[in-house]
Amino acid sequence: MSRLLVTGRQKLSGETYVQGAKNSALPILAATILTKGENVIYNCPELSDVEASLGILRYLGCDVRRSGQTLLVKADDVKNYEIPDVLMRKTRSSIVFLGAVLARTGRAKLSFPGGCEIGPRPIDLHLKALREMGAVIKEKHGYLDCYASSGLKGTRVALSFPSVGATEDIMIAACLAKGTTTITNAAQEPEICDLADFLNKCGAKIYGAGEGVVVIDGVTALNSTAHTIIADRIVAATLMSCAATTGSEILLKGAVASHLASIITVFEDSDCKIKISDKGIRFSAPERLSTMHTVRTMPYPGFPTDAQAPLLAASCVANGTSVFVENIFENRYRHISELIRMGASIKAEGRVAVVEGVESLYGASVEAVDLRGAASLVVAALGAEGESEISGIKYLERGYENFEVVLSELGADIKKI
Ligand code: EPZ
């Protein structure tokens, strides 16, 4: 099992290109199932979660080839509608294949994606909407057996929560449905807009992505297209957190400032300077951060839950007390016990974590147990006095492409062993 070895307190400097967004690549790869012809997907990061999706596409009959960050995906020969458990379990986000396979083949058989490290991850909103679109879905022995033999039909879907995955699943399924589908209380994340851009270039008719109401006029077929994945705003937020704990200045190329507004404001509150130009985002941190005050995770455009762990790690050495409120997932503070082992002073009670800034953290042997928690341990180790050893980095590799290489190129003393 590989681990990361970090010697803290090295200043970072220079510039780095922010990788393509994992949470945009995954639904777009699922959506290729609806298309005829060869899709060219640029800026697609090399991540284990992406590899898991490519495994599902191949299993379904797609022709998938990768060269660097460019993927060629052809779905002309898709016939299979069953995704085996072993492939479903590799990544929670595989549920987004449900709408795509159902819309393409009229059938879908897959296992419940199951919970993950941060919570039970229910899919009731996905199933309710697809049933309202005419799908017959039987749930038995942990399996979903879905039929839409006469195709799906457009309908009005009112989401009780602006679920990212449910919005994506419904958008994809609605592209080839008969009639118009309207999603109210839809998720507004930038990844939703990127998926809509991809689908509209394929000939879909999607209006209002990124706003609370999305309208999809069903069409009869979609053709392949070329598409460049947007930059990963959570990786950008994590890199800012690495600069924040080391009092560094770095330039983030390719990052989209408008996707990071809620994160930038938290860092500006804690005395970081952020300059936005056509070169990217120049981020410079003071020797010691001020408190982040109160950070509440919310659906976009609120503060993203995925950025909670990295920024909480940065707040551990701030000059003052910061309060985090995790409103999206039930179990997203598992990195706190490891940060305390490094000398952090944190009190977590349910959804609230109170972080009392300390002068410095100290290197320790720590273990990651989920993706963003792993990132938070890297953020903490970079600013800590001495050496840290981080295990469980398979979680980090789910969402961060060659992260130790990116950081060592910026001057960090970090290596994979
Ligand atoms: C997406 O997960 C992201 N994953 C998550 O990123 C991200 O944290 C999350 O959106 C919120 O922004 C991908 O895009 C692959 P949700 P998703 O459906 O779609 C509840 C990361 O670290 N809910 O918006 O699963 C659910 O329990 C990952 O990159 C239902 O109750 O998130 C949760 O409390 C982690 N019923 C809330 O909604 C449903 O049917 C948000 O879930 C679906 C969701």
Side-chain angles (χ1 to χ4, degrees), residues 56-92:
I56 292 175
L57 288 176
R58 290 191 180 101
Y59 187 88
L60 293 170
C62 295
D63 176 23
V64 179
R65 270 168 294 149
R66 177 194 271 282
S67 78
Q69 267 66 25
T70 302
L71 282 179
L72 301 175
V73 184
K74 220 168 131 180
D76 295 20
D77 302 335
V78 164
K79 284 188 191 46
N80 199 346
Y81 57 77
E82 186 163 352
I83 304 176
D85 191 42
V86 65
L87 292 179
M88 279 298 289
R89 286 204 171 271
K90 284 193 177 163
T91 163
R92 236 287 311 178

PDB file of all heavy atoms in Angstrom, residues 56-92:
ATOM      1  N   ILE A  56     -16.794   0.599 -16.914  1.00  0.00           N
ATOM      2  CA  ILE A  56     -18.240   0.372 -17.123  1.00  0.00           C
ATOM      3  C   ILE A  56     -18.590   0.599 -18.591  1.00  0.00           C
ATOM      4  O   ILE A  56     -19.287  -0.207 -19.212  1.00  0.00           O
ATOM      5  CB  ILE A  56     -19.076   1.292 -16.201  1.00  0.00           C
ATOM      6  CG1 ILE A  56     -18.897   0.879 -14.729  1.00  0.00           C
ATOM      7  CG2 ILE A  56     -20.549   1.273 -16.598  1.00  0.00           C
ATOM      8  CD1 ILE A  56     -19.581   1.793 -13.727  1.00  0.00           C
ATOM      9  N   LEU A  57     -18.041   1.668 -19.182  1.00  0.00           N
ATOM     10  CA  LEU A  57     -18.339   1.946 -20.598  1.00  0.00           C
ATOM     11  C   LEU A  57     -17.896   0.770 -21.466  1.00  0.00           C
ATOM     12  O   LEU A  57     -18.620   0.306 -22.342  1.00  0.00           O
ATOM     13  CB  LEU A  57     -17.620   3.219 -21.050  1.00  0.00           C
ATOM     14  CG  LEU A  57     -18.159   4.552 -20.520  1.00  0.00           C
ATOM     15  CD1 LEU A  57     -17.277   5.705 -20.978  1.00  0.00           C
ATOM     16  CD2 LEU A  57     -19.599   4.777 -20.963  1.00  0.00           C
ATOM     17  N   ARG A  58     -16.680   0.255 -21.198  1.00  0.00           N
ATOM     18  CA  ARG A  58     -16.180  -0.868 -22.003  1.00  0.00           C
ATOM     19  C   ARG A  58     -17.083  -2.084 -21.815  1.00  0.00           C
ATOM     20  O   ARG A  58     -17.442  -2.778 -22.752  1.00  0.00           O
ATOM     21  CB  ARG A  58     -14.736  -1.206 -21.610  1.00  0.00           C
ATOM     22  CG  ARG A  58     -13.720  -0.163 -22.035  1.00  0.00           C
ATOM     23  CD  ARG A  58     -12.275  -0.652 -21.873  1.00  0.00           C
ATOM     24  NE  ARG A  58     -11.337   0.392 -22.308  1.00  0.00           N
ATOM     25  CZ  ARG A  58     -10.678   1.197 -21.444  1.00  0.00           C
ATOM     26  NH1 ARG A  58     -10.836   1.063 -20.132  1.00  0.00           N
ATOM     27  NH2 ARG A  58      -9.861   2.131 -21.913  1.00  0.00           N
ATOM     28  N   TYR A  59     -17.488  -2.329 -20.573  1.00  0.00           N
ATOM     29  CA  TYR A  59     -18.329  -3.500 -20.289  1.00  0.00           C
ATOM     30  C   TYR A  59     -19.650  -3.419 -21.055  1.00  0.00           C
ATOM     31  O   TYR A  59     -20.174  -4.414 -21.545  1.00  0.00           O
ATOM     32  CB  TYR A  59     -18.596  -3.586 -18.784  1.00  0.00           C
ATOM     33  CG  TYR A  59     -19.318  -4.845 -18.384  1.00  0.00           C
ATOM     34  CD1 TYR A  59     -18.620  -6.011 -18.082  1.00  0.00           C
ATOM     35  CD2 TYR A  59     -20.723  -4.882 -18.358  1.00  0.00           C
ATOM     36  CE1 TYR A  59     -19.290  -7.172 -17.741  1.00  0.00           C
ATOM     37  CE2 TYR A  59     -21.398  -6.041 -18.023  1.00  0.00           C
ATOM     38  CZ  TYR A  59     -20.686  -7.178 -17.718  1.00  0.00           C
ATOM     39  OH  TYR A  59     -21.354  -8.334 -17.391  1.00  0.00           O
ATOM     40  N   LEU A  60     -20.152  -2.192 -21.209  1.00  0.00           N
ATOM     41  CA  LEU A  60     -21.441  -2.007 -21.901  1.00  0.00           C
ATOM     42  C   LEU A  60     -21.299  -2.129 -23.418  1.00  0.00           C
ATOM     43  O   LEU A  60     -22.298  -2.213 -24.136  1.00  0.00           O
ATOM     44  CB  LEU A  60     -22.037  -0.641 -21.542  1.00  0.00           C
ATOM     45  CG  LEU A  60     -22.479  -0.475 -20.079  1.00  0.00           C
ATOM     46  CD1 LEU A  60     -22.822   0.981 -19.783  1.00  0.00           C
ATOM     47  CD2 LEU A  60     -23.674  -1.383 -19.780  1.00  0.00           C
ATOM     48  N   GLY A  61     -20.040  -2.117 -23.892  1.00  0.00           N
ATOM     49  CA  GLY A  61     -19.813  -2.282 -25.332  1.00  0.00           C
ATOM     50  C   GLY A  61     -19.230  -1.060 -26.007  1.00  0.00           C
ATOM     51  O   GLY A  61     -19.127  -0.996 -27.239  1.00  0.00           O
ATOM     52  N   CYS A  62     -18.820  -0.063 -25.228  1.00  0.00           N
ATOM     53  CA  CYS A  62     -18.218   1.136 -25.841  1.00  0.00           C
ATOM     54  C   CYS A  62     -16.766   0.850 -26.213  1.00  0.00           C
ATOM     55  O   CYS A  62     -16.090   0.048 -25.579  1.00  0.00           O
ATOM     56  CB  CYS A  62     -18.225   2.314 -24.862  1.00  0.00           C
ATOM     57  SG  CYS A  62     -19.859   2.866 -24.428  1.00  0.00           S
ATOM     58  N   ASP A  63     -16.313   1.577 -27.259  1.00  0.00           N
ATOM     59  CA  ASP A  63     -14.901   1.525 -27.631  1.00  0.00           C
ATOM     60  C   ASP A  63     -14.244   2.745 -26.975  1.00  0.00           C
ATOM     61  O   ASP A  63     -14.611   3.885 -27.290  1.00  0.00           O
ATOM     62  CB  ASP A  63     -14.791   1.591 -29.161  1.00  0.00           C
ATOM     63  CG  ASP A  63     -13.333   1.649 -29.601  1.00  0.00           C
ATOM     64  OD1 ASP A  63     -12.465   1.211 -28.810  1.00  0.00           O
ATOM     65  OD2 ASP A  63     -13.056   2.185 -30.679  1.00  0.00           O
ATOM     66  N   VAL A  64     -13.328   2.497 -26.022  1.00  0.00           N
ATOM     67  CA  VAL A  64     -12.746   3.598 -25.236  1.00  0.00           C
ATOM     68  C   VAL A  64     -11.233   3.575 -25.379  1.00  0.00           C
ATOM     69  O   VAL A  64     -10.597   2.543 -25.145  1.00  0.00           O
ATOM     70  CB  VAL A  64     -13.097   3.427 -23.743  1.00  0.00           C
ATOM     71  CG1 VAL A  64     -12.488   4.545 -22.927  1.00  0.00           C
ATOM     72  CG2 VAL A  64     -14.608   3.374 -23.541  1.00  0.00           C
ATOM     73  N   ARG A  65     -10.662   4.687 -25.799  1.00  0.00           N
ATOM     74  CA  ARG A  65      -9.205   4.783 -25.883  1.00  0.00           C
ATOM     75  C   ARG A  65      -8.743   6.077 -25.219  1.00  0.00           C
ATOM     76  O   ARG A  65      -9.475   7.085 -25.269  1.00  0.00           O
ATOM     77  CB  ARG A  65      -8.774   4.757 -27.356  1.00  0.00           C
ATOM     78  CG  ARG A  65      -8.522   3.320 -27.865  1.00  0.00           C
ATOM     79  CD  ARG A  65      -8.382   3.271 -29.364  1.00  0.00           C
ATOM     80  NE  ARG A  65      -9.629   3.628 -30.036  1.00  0.00           N
ATOM     81  CZ  ARG A  65      -9.669   4.230 -31.230  1.00  0.00           C
ATOM     82  NH1 ARG A  65      -8.563   4.570 -31.839  1.00  0.00           N
ATOM     83  NH2 ARG A  65     -10.816   4.507 -31.798  1.00  0.00           N
ATOM     84  N   ARG A  66      -7.583   6.032 -24.576  1.00  0.00           N
ATOM     85  CA  ARG A  66      -7.081   7.217 -23.885  1.00  0.00           C
ATOM     86  C   ARG A  66      -5.686   7.518 -24.372  1.00  0.00           C
ATOM     87  O   ARG A  66      -4.873   6.600 -24.542  1.00  0.00           O
ATOM     88  CB  ARG A  66      -7.040   6.994 -22.361  1.00  0.00           C
ATOM     89  CG  ARG A  66      -6.448   8.173 -21.606  1.00  0.00           C
ATOM     90  CD  ARG A  66      -6.097   7.851 -20.169  1.00  0.00           C
ATOM     91  NE  ARG A  66      -7.180   8.073 -19.218  1.00  0.00           N
ATOM     92  CZ  ARG A  66      -7.569   9.247 -18.736  1.00  0.00           C
ATOM     93  NH1 ARG A  66      -7.001  10.323 -19.187  1.00  0.00           N
ATOM     94  NH2 ARG A  66      -8.532   9.363 -17.842  1.00  0.00           N
ATOM     95  N   SER A  67      -5.402   8.831 -24.647  1.00  0.00           N
ATOM     96  CA  SER A  67      -3.987   9.192 -24.821  1.00  0.00           C
ATOM     97  C   SER A  67      -3.765  10.466 -24.004  1.00  0.00           C
ATOM     98  O   SER A  67      -4.298  11.536 -24.317  1.00  0.00           O
ATOM     99  CB  SER A  67      -3.640   9.386 -26.298  1.00  0.00           C
ATOM    100  OG  SER A  67      -4.092  10.614 -26.741  1.00  0.00           O
ATOM    101  N   GLY A  68      -3.091  10.283 -22.853  1.00  0.00           N
ATOM    102  CA  GLY A  68      -2.887  11.392 -21.916  1.00  0.00           C
ATOM    103  C   GLY A  68      -4.230  11.810 -21.358  1.00  0.00           C
ATOM    104  O   GLY A  68      -5.015  10.980 -20.927  1.00  0.00           O
ATOM    105  N   GLN A  69      -4.509  13.122 -21.452  1.00  0.00           N
ATOM    106  CA  GLN A  69      -5.767  13.633 -20.892  1.00  0.00           C
ATOM    107  C   GLN A  69      -6.898  13.603 -21.931  1.00  0.00           C
ATOM    108  O   GLN A  69      -7.971  14.127 -21.687  1.00  0.00           O
ATOM    109  CB  GLN A  69      -5.579  15.068 -20.413  1.00  0.00           C
ATOM    110  CG  GLN A  69      -5.192  15.184 -18.943  1.00  0.00           C
ATOM    111  CD  GLN A  69      -3.820  14.603 -18.665  1.00  0.00           C
ATOM    112  OE1 GLN A  69      -2.991  14.529 -19.560  1.00  0.00           O
ATOM    113  NE2 GLN A  69      -3.588  14.194 -17.444  1.00  0.00           N
ATOM    114  N   THR A  70      -6.632  12.991 -23.124  1.00  0.00           N
ATOM    115  CA  THR A  70      -7.678  12.960 -24.155  1.00  0.00           C
ATOM    116  C   THR A  70      -8.276  11.563 -24.254  1.00  0.00           C
ATOM    117  O   THR A  70      -7.540  10.575 -24.310  1.00  0.00           O
ATOM    118  CB  THR A  70      -7.089  13.367 -25.526  1.00  0.00           C
ATOM    119  OG1 THR A  70      -6.532  14.681 -25.394  1.00  0.00           O
ATOM    120  CG2 THR A  70      -8.164  13.389 -26.609  1.00  0.00           C
ATOM    121  N   LEU A  71      -9.602  11.492 -24.253  1.00  0.00           N
ATOM    122  CA  LEU A  71     -10.307  10.214 -24.346  1.00  0.00           C
ATOM    123  C   LEU A  71     -11.091  10.166 -25.649  1.00  0.00           C
ATOM    124  O   LEU A  71     -11.677  11.171 -26.054  1.00  0.00           O
ATOM    125  CB  LEU A  71     -11.301  10.082 -23.193  1.00  0.00           C
ATOM    126  CG  LEU A  71     -10.763   9.703 -21.835  1.00  0.00           C
ATOM    127  CD1 LEU A  71     -11.902   9.655 -20.834  1.00  0.00           C
ATOM    128  CD2 LEU A  71     -10.051   8.368 -21.868  1.00  0.00           C
ATOM    129  N   LEU A  72     -11.081   8.974 -26.301  1.00  0.00           N
ATOM    130  CA  LEU A  72     -11.953   8.758 -27.467  1.00  0.00           C
ATOM    131  C   LEU A  72     -12.985   7.737 -27.021  1.00  0.00           C
ATOM    132  O   LEU A  72     -12.625   6.650 -26.574  1.00  0.00           O
ATOM    133  CB  LEU A  72     -11.136   8.214 -28.634  1.00  0.00           C
ATOM    134  CG  LEU A  72      -9.975   9.103 -29.119  1.00  0.00           C
ATOM    135  CD1 LEU A  72      -9.166   8.402 -30.208  1.00  0.00           C
ATOM    136  CD2 LEU A  72     -10.494  10.445 -29.621  1.00  0.00           C
ATOM    137  N   VAL A  73     -14.257   8.072 -27.109  1.00  0.00           N
ATOM    138  CA  VAL A  73     -15.313   7.167 -26.660  1.00  0.00           C
ATOM    139  C   VAL A  73     -16.363   7.014 -27.755  1.00  0.00           C
ATOM    140  O   VAL A  73     -16.944   7.994 -28.218  1.00  0.00           O
ATOM    141  CB  VAL A  73     -16.018   7.692 -25.384  1.00  0.00           C
ATOM    142  CG1 VAL A  73     -17.040   6.673 -24.893  1.00  0.00           C
ATOM    143  CG2 VAL A  73     -15.009   8.012 -24.287  1.00  0.00           C
ATOM    144  N   LYS A  74     -16.569   5.749 -28.171  1.00  0.00           N
ATOM    145  CA  LYS A  74     -17.570   5.455 -29.208  1.00  0.00           C
ATOM    146  C   LYS A  74     -18.589   4.480 -28.626  1.00  0.00           C
ATOM    147  O   LYS A  74     -18.216   3.428 -28.115  1.00  0.00           O
ATOM    148  CB  LYS A  74     -16.850   4.780 -30.391  1.00  0.00           C
ATOM    149  CG  LYS A  74     -17.337   5.238 -31.737  1.00  0.00           C
ATOM    150  CD  LYS A  74     -16.397   4.757 -32.802  1.00  0.00           C
ATOM    151  CE  LYS A  74     -17.233   4.098 -33.916  1.00  0.00           C
ATOM    152  NZ  LYS A  74     -16.407   3.604 -35.008  1.00  0.00           N
ATOM    153  N   ALA A  75     -19.867   4.852 -28.670  1.00  0.00           N
ATOM    154  CA  ALA A  75     -20.885   4.039 -28.005  1.00  0.00           C
ATOM    155  C   ALA A  75     -21.808   3.355 -29.009  1.00  0.00           C
ATOM    156  O   ALA A  75     -22.859   2.840 -28.635  1.00  0.00           O
ATOM    157  CB  ALA A  75     -21.700   4.911 -27.068  1.00  0.00           C
ATOM    158  N   ASP A  76     -21.393   3.325 -30.305  1.00  0.00           N
ATOM    159  CA  ASP A  76     -22.301   2.777 -31.336  1.00  0.00           C
ATOM    160  C   ASP A  76     -22.737   1.350 -31.038  1.00  0.00           C
ATOM    161  O   ASP A  76     -23.854   0.969 -31.335  1.00  0.00           O
ATOM    162  CB  ASP A  76     -21.590   2.799 -32.704  1.00  0.00           C
ATOM    163  CG  ASP A  76     -21.332   4.239 -33.139  1.00  0.00           C
ATOM    164  OD1 ASP A  76     -21.345   5.120 -32.249  1.00  0.00           O
ATOM    165  OD2 ASP A  76     -21.151   4.481 -34.332  1.00  0.00           O
ATOM    166  N   ASP A  77     -21.827   0.547 -30.451  1.00  0.00           N
ATOM    167  CA  ASP A  77     -22.151  -0.877 -30.303  1.00  0.00           C
ATOM    168  C   ASP A  77     -22.699  -1.239 -28.923  1.00  0.00           C
ATOM    169  O   ASP A  77     -22.647  -2.386 -28.514  1.00  0.00           O
ATOM    170  CB  ASP A  77     -20.907  -1.732 -30.591  1.00  0.00           C
ATOM    171  CG  ASP A  77     -20.397  -1.444 -31.988  1.00  0.00           C
ATOM    172  OD1 ASP A  77     -21.237  -1.013 -32.810  1.00  0.00           O
ATOM    173  OD2 ASP A  77     -19.175  -1.562 -32.222  1.00  0.00           O
ATOM    174  N   VAL A  78     -23.169  -0.245 -28.184  1.00  0.00           N
ATOM    175  CA  VAL A  78     -23.712  -0.556 -26.845  1.00  0.00           C
ATOM    176  C   VAL A  78     -24.950  -1.425 -26.992  1.00  0.00           C
ATOM    177  O   VAL A  78     -25.883  -1.076 -27.728  1.00  0.00           O
ATOM    178  CB  VAL A  78     -24.078   0.745 -26.089  1.00  0.00           C
ATOM    179  CG1 VAL A  78     -24.982   0.441 -24.903  1.00  0.00           C
ATOM    180  CG2 VAL A  78     -22.820   1.445 -25.610  1.00  0.00           C
ATOM    181  N   LYS A  79     -24.926  -2.625 -26.366  1.00  0.00           N
ATOM    182  CA  LYS A  79     -26.128  -3.470 -26.354  1.00  0.00           C
ATOM    183  C   LYS A  79     -26.431  -3.869 -24.913  1.00  0.00           C
ATOM    184  O   LYS A  79     -27.557  -3.986 -24.489  1.00  0.00           O
ATOM    185  CB  LYS A  79     -25.886  -4.767 -27.163  1.00  0.00           C
ATOM    186  CG  LYS A  79     -25.915  -4.533 -28.682  1.00  0.00           C
ATOM    187  CD  LYS A  79     -25.864  -5.858 -29.451  1.00  0.00           C
ATOM    188  CE  LYS A  79     -25.609  -5.542 -30.924  1.00  0.00           C
ATOM    189  NZ  LYS A  79     -24.499  -4.545 -31.059  1.00  0.00           N
ATOM    190  N   ASN A  80     -25.359  -4.031 -24.152  1.00  0.00           N
ATOM    191  CA  ASN A  80     -25.499  -4.523 -22.787  1.00  0.00           C
ATOM    192  C   ASN A  80     -26.192  -3.475 -21.916  1.00  0.00           C
ATOM    193  O   ASN A  80     -25.971  -2.281 -22.094  1.00  0.00           O
ATOM    194  CB  ASN A  80     -24.079  -4.797 -22.249  1.00  0.00           C
ATOM    195  CG  ASN A  80     -24.135  -5.734 -21.050  1.00  0.00           C
ATOM    196  OD1 ASN A  80     -25.206  -5.955 -20.497  1.00  0.00           O
ATOM    197  ND2 ASN A  80     -22.983  -6.241 -20.671  1.00  0.00           N
ATOM    198  N   TYR A  81     -27.028  -3.979 -21.008  1.00  0.00           N
ATOM    199  CA  TYR A  81     -27.724  -3.016 -20.135  1.00  0.00           C
ATOM    200  C   TYR A  81     -27.484  -3.376 -18.655  1.00  0.00           C
ATOM    201  O   TYR A  81     -28.032  -2.775 -17.761  1.00  0.00           O
ATOM    202  CB  TYR A  81     -29.226  -3.016 -20.408  1.00  0.00           C
ATOM    203  CG  TYR A  81     -29.848  -4.379 -20.253  1.00  0.00           C
ATOM    204  CD1 TYR A  81     -30.108  -4.921 -19.002  1.00  0.00           C
ATOM    205  CD2 TYR A  81     -30.133  -5.162 -21.381  1.00  0.00           C
ATOM    206  CE1 TYR A  81     -30.651  -6.191 -18.853  1.00  0.00           C
ATOM    207  CE2 TYR A  81     -30.665  -6.426 -21.250  1.00  0.00           C
ATOM    208  CZ  TYR A  81     -30.908  -6.944 -19.981  1.00  0.00           C
ATOM    209  OH  TYR A  81     -31.441  -8.195 -19.862  1.00  0.00           O
ATOM    210  N   GLU A  82     -26.603  -4.361 -18.442  1.00  0.00           N
ATOM    211  CA  GLU A  82     -26.379  -4.795 -17.053  1.00  0.00           C
ATOM    212  C   GLU A  82     -24.974  -4.390 -16.613  1.00  0.00           C
ATOM    213  O   GLU A  82     -24.005  -4.609 -17.336  1.00  0.00           O
ATOM    214  CB  GLU A  82     -26.526  -6.316 -16.976  1.00  0.00           C
ATOM    215  CG  GLU A  82     -26.465  -6.821 -15.556  1.00  0.00           C
ATOM    216  CD  GLU A  82     -27.016  -8.238 -15.431  1.00  0.00           C
ATOM    217  OE1 GLU A  82     -27.579  -8.764 -16.418  1.00  0.00           O
ATOM    218  OE2 GLU A  82     -26.885  -8.798 -14.342  1.00  0.00           O
ATOM    219  N   ILE A  83     -24.887  -3.751 -15.449  1.00  0.00           N
ATOM    220  CA  ILE A  83     -23.571  -3.364 -14.910  1.00  0.00           C
ATOM    221  C   ILE A  83     -23.324  -4.221 -13.668  1.00  0.00           C
ATOM    222  O   ILE A  83     -24.082  -4.139 -12.707  1.00  0.00           O
ATOM    223  CB  ILE A  83     -23.525  -1.878 -14.541  1.00  0.00           C
ATOM    224  CG1 ILE A  83     -23.908  -1.013 -15.754  1.00  0.00           C
ATOM    225  CG2 ILE A  83     -22.139  -1.514 -14.026  1.00  0.00           C
ATOM    226  CD1 ILE A  83     -23.980   0.464 -15.455  1.00  0.00           C
ATOM    227  N   PRO A  84     -22.289  -5.066 -13.708  1.00  0.00           N
ATOM    228  CA  PRO A  84     -22.066  -5.972 -12.582  1.00  0.00           C
ATOM    229  C   PRO A  84     -21.663  -5.242 -11.308  1.00  0.00           C
ATOM    230  O   PRO A  84     -21.082  -4.153 -11.342  1.00  0.00           O
ATOM    231  CB  PRO A  84     -20.942  -6.888 -13.061  1.00  0.00           C
ATOM    232  CG  PRO A  84     -20.282  -6.169 -14.167  1.00  0.00           C
ATOM    233  CD  PRO A  84     -21.289  -5.226 -14.748  1.00  0.00           C
ATOM    234  N   ASP A  85     -21.960  -5.878 -10.204  1.00  0.00           N
ATOM    235  CA  ASP A  85     -21.713  -5.311  -8.870  1.00  0.00           C
ATOM    236  C   ASP A  85     -20.259  -4.865  -8.724  1.00  0.00           C
ATOM    237  O   ASP A  85     -19.975  -3.781  -8.238  1.00  0.00           O
ATOM    238  CB  ASP A  85     -22.047  -6.409  -7.839  1.00  0.00           C
ATOM    239  CG  ASP A  85     -22.081  -5.825  -6.445  1.00  0.00           C
ATOM    240  OD1 ASP A  85     -22.635  -4.717  -6.301  1.00  0.00           O
ATOM    241  OD2 ASP A  85     -21.497  -6.422  -5.530  1.00  0.00           O
ATOM    242  N   VAL A  86     -19.343  -5.705  -9.221  1.00  0.00           N
ATOM    243  CA  VAL A  86     -17.917  -5.402  -9.006  1.00  0.00           C
ATOM    244  C   VAL A  86     -17.558  -4.053  -9.642  1.00  0.00           C
ATOM    245  O   VAL A  86     -16.753  -3.293  -9.107  1.00  0.00           O
ATOM    246  CB  VAL A  86     -17.043  -6.545  -9.568  1.00  0.00           C
ATOM    247  CG1 VAL A  86     -17.179  -6.650 -11.081  1.00  0.00           C
ATOM    248  CG2 VAL A  86     -15.595  -6.365  -9.159  1.00  0.00           C
ATOM    249  N   LEU A  87     -18.229  -3.710 -10.745  1.00  0.00           N
ATOM    250  CA  LEU A  87     -17.937  -2.416 -11.391  1.00  0.00           C
ATOM    251  C   LEU A  87     -18.710  -1.291 -10.710  1.00  0.00           C
ATOM    252  O   LEU A  87     -18.205  -0.196 -10.524  1.00  0.00           O
ATOM    253  CB  LEU A  87     -18.294  -2.474 -12.883  1.00  0.00           C
ATOM    254  CG  LEU A  87     -17.428  -3.382 -13.751  1.00  0.00           C
ATOM    255  CD1 LEU A  87     -17.911  -3.351 -15.199  1.00  0.00           C
ATOM    256  CD2 LEU A  87     -15.957  -2.980 -13.679  1.00  0.00           C
ATOM    257  N   MET A  88     -19.925  -1.591 -10.271  1.00  0.00           N
ATOM    258  CA  MET A  88     -20.751  -0.557  -9.627  1.00  0.00           C
ATOM    259  C   MET A  88     -20.098  -0.097  -8.330  1.00  0.00           C
ATOM    260  O   MET A  88     -20.141   1.064  -7.970  1.00  0.00           O
ATOM    261  CB  MET A  88     -22.142  -1.102  -9.314  1.00  0.00           C
ATOM    262  CG  MET A  88     -23.089  -1.117 -10.480  1.00  0.00           C
ATOM    263  SD  MET A  88     -23.428   0.505 -11.142  1.00  0.00           S
ATOM    264  CE  MET A  88     -24.416   1.195  -9.827  1.00  0.00           C
ATOM    265  N   ARG A  89     -19.467  -1.021  -7.650  1.00  0.00           N
ATOM    266  CA  ARG A  89     -18.977  -0.699  -6.305  1.00  0.00           C
ATOM    267  C   ARG A  89     -17.685   0.108  -6.334  1.00  0.00           C
ATOM    268  O   ARG A  89     -17.242   0.599  -5.309  1.00  0.00           O
ATOM    269  CB  ARG A  89     -18.775  -1.989  -5.509  1.00  0.00           C
ATOM    270  CG  ARG A  89     -20.105  -2.591  -5.088  1.00  0.00           C
ATOM    271  CD  ARG A  89     -19.982  -3.469  -3.873  1.00  0.00           C
ATOM    272  NE  ARG A  89     -21.304  -3.828  -3.394  1.00  0.00           N
ATOM    273  CZ  ARG A  89     -21.981  -3.091  -2.506  1.00  0.00           C
ATOM    274  NH1 ARG A  89     -21.464  -1.986  -2.052  1.00  0.00           N
ATOM    275  NH2 ARG A  89     -23.182  -3.446  -2.114  1.00  0.00           N
ATOM    276  N   LYS A  90     -17.085   0.251  -7.501  1.00  0.00           N
ATOM    277  CA  LYS A  90     -15.789   0.943  -7.528  1.00  0.00           C
ATOM    278  C   LYS A  90     -15.944   2.436  -7.274  1.00  0.00           C
ATOM    279  O   LYS A  90     -15.058   3.086  -6.774  1.00  0.00           O
ATOM    280  CB  LYS A  90     -15.102   0.714  -8.886  1.00  0.00           C
ATOM    281  CG  LYS A  90     -14.510  -0.679  -9.009  1.00  0.00           C
ATOM    282  CD  LYS A  90     -13.573  -0.786 -10.184  1.00  0.00           C
ATOM    283  CE  LYS A  90     -12.927  -2.172 -10.231  1.00  0.00           C
ATOM    284  NZ  LYS A  90     -12.338  -2.429 -11.556  1.00  0.00           N
ATOM    285  N   THR A  91     -17.086   2.974  -7.727  1.00  0.00           N
ATOM    286  CA  THR A  91     -17.280   4.387  -7.433  1.00  0.00           C
ATOM    287  C   THR A  91     -18.764   4.663  -7.239  1.00  0.00           C
ATOM    288  O   THR A  91     -19.599   4.180  -7.985  1.00  0.00           O
ATOM    289  CB  THR A  91     -16.717   5.307  -8.542  1.00  0.00           C
ATOM    290  OG1 THR A  91     -17.304   6.594  -8.370  1.00  0.00           O
ATOM    291  CG2 THR A  91     -17.045   4.832  -9.932  1.00  0.00           C
ATOM    292  N   ARG A  92     -19.061   5.445  -6.233  1.00  0.00           N
ATOM    293  CA  ARG A  92     -20.442   5.765  -5.852  1.00  0.00           C
ATOM    294  C   ARG A  92     -21.161   6.435  -7.000  1.00  0.00           C
ATOM    295  O   ARG A  92     -22.350   6.272  -7.213  1.00  0.00           O
ATOM    296  CB  ARG A  92     -20.368   6.750  -4.683  1.00  0.00           C
ATOM    297  CG  ARG A  92     -21.081   6.346  -3.470  1.00  0.00           C
ATOM    298  CD  ARG A  92     -22.550   6.451  -3.603  1.00  0.00           C
ATOM    299  NE  ARG A  92     -23.028   7.713  -4.143  1.00  0.00           N
ATOM    300  CZ  ARG A  92     -24.310   7.937  -4.352  1.00  0.00           C
ATOM    301  NH1 ARG A  92     -25.177   6.997  -4.083  1.00  0.00           N
ATOM    302  NH2 ARG A  92     -24.715   9.073  -4.827  1.00  0.00           N
TER     303      ARG A  92
END
